[in-house]
């Protein structure tokens, strides 16, 4: 994550309007201290430009624990037949991501939202 942070800091210094980071955020896989380290590293970037995120497989995938899933997906969460879902998220079910980030209120938190830019 340190290399990603350095690259984002360099790009932000060039005058980015915002950063969209969808999925594969911290690779914490259920370990809170890794989330804390990631958030600390990303704070330098987020202080320079708006930093928006969305869940990916490493934040969401789970094979059990669907009752904790904050997405509101029925039964054991969003698992379409065409997906190759496993336990990439270490059972996080999107919970740490949804508690650490604020998203526009026109969608479903970090699971989906929209905003207009440049109109």
């Amino acid at each position: 994550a340190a290399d990603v942070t350095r690259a984002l800091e360099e790009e932000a210094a060039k005058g980015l309007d915002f950063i969209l980071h969808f999925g594969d955020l911290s690779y914490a896989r259920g370990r809170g201290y890794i989330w804390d380290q990631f958030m600390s590293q990303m704070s330098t970037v987020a202080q320079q430009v708006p930093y928006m995120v969305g869940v990916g497989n490493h934040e969401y995938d789970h094979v059990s624990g669907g009752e904790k899933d904050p997405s509101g997906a029925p039964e054991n969460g969003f698992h379409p037949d065409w997906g190759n879902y496993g336990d990439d998220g270490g059972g996080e079910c999107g919970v740490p991501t949804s508690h650490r980030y604020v998203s526009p209120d026109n969608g479903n938190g970090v699971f989906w939202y929209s905003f207009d830019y440049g109109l």
Side-chain angles (χ1 to χ4, degrees):
D3 291 337
V4 171
T5 304
R6 273 193 296 280
L8 289 174
E9 287 172 345
E10 291 171 9
E11 292 302 316
K14 295 177 186 177
L16 291 178
D17 292 330
F18 55 85
I19 295 171
L20 299 175
H21 188 169
F22 291 107
D24 299 350
L25 303 174
S26 73
Y27 292 95
R29 297 184 46 82
R31 296 180 303 267
Y33 74 95
I34 294 178
W35 269 109
D36 292 343
Q37 290 172 351
F38 176 76
M39 297 297 284
S40 178
Q41 289 173 343
M42 294 309 297
S43 68
T44 59
V45 174
Q47 290 173 13
Q48 296 176 48
V49 296
Y51 178 71
M52 304 295 292
V53 303
V55 296
N57 61 312
H58 288 99
E59 292 77 44
Y60 182 76
D61 278 1
H62 55 87
V63 293
S64 63
E67 68 278 358
K68 299 174 191 168
D69 184 343
S71 72
E75 298 177 24
N76 195 32
F78 179 70
H79 293 101
D81 294 339
W82 48 263
N84 184 16
Y85 294 92
D87 199 22
D88 293 341
E92 288 190 350
C93 305
V95 173
T97 308
S98 65
H99 286 281
R100 284 176 166 81
Y101 293 97
V102 176
S103 300
D105 61 4
N106 64 354
N108 188 13
V110 295
F111 297 95
W112 58 267
Y113 57 87
S114 69
F115 59 89
D116 295 327
Y117 173 75
L119 299 176

